[in-house]
Amino acid sequence: MPGRIYRSSETVVFVEVVVRATTYTRACPPPESPTPRNTAESEPAGVVGPSCAPSESDPGWVAVEANWLRMTVPITRDPDDGRLVVDPHLVSDHSS
């Protein structure tokens, strides 16, 4: 659910959101080494790479604790097609 919104320009807004963050610990014994990915595989557009967070069903990890955190997310529009984009490189000049 979005909270406060701060518009820093005509094309950039910062939206406060509440997210659930879960911390994990390795299960014993450690899991087998993952199968290496083929580096020649192409990633779909917008995909950065594999996540460092485990899947909820991964037996090699156990959820320890979950907390609700407030985050301020910078959002802008893609100049080419107008899509909304979360851009972590944007920095607010607004002091709270």
Side-chain angles (χ1 to χ4, degrees), residues 44-87:
V47 173
V48 177
S51 171
C52 63
S55 166
E56 294 85 6
S57 62
D58 187 336
W61 295 89
V62 177
V64 178
E65 180 178 55
N67 293 293
W68 291 99
L69 304 171
R70 290 189 189 280
M71 293 179 65
T72 302
V73 182
I75 300 174
T76 189
R77 288 208 178 267
D78 185 287
D80 297 328
D81 61 14
R83 292 177 297 130
L84 291 178
V85 178
V86 175
D87 188 347

Side-chain angles (χ1 to χ4, degrees), residues 10-26:
E10 288 294 317
T11 58
V12 178
V13 295
F14 288 82
V15 179
E16 181 183 74
V17 293
V18 178
V19 296
R20 182 175 184 226
T22 304
T23 55
Y24 290 84
T25 187
R26 275 201 190 277

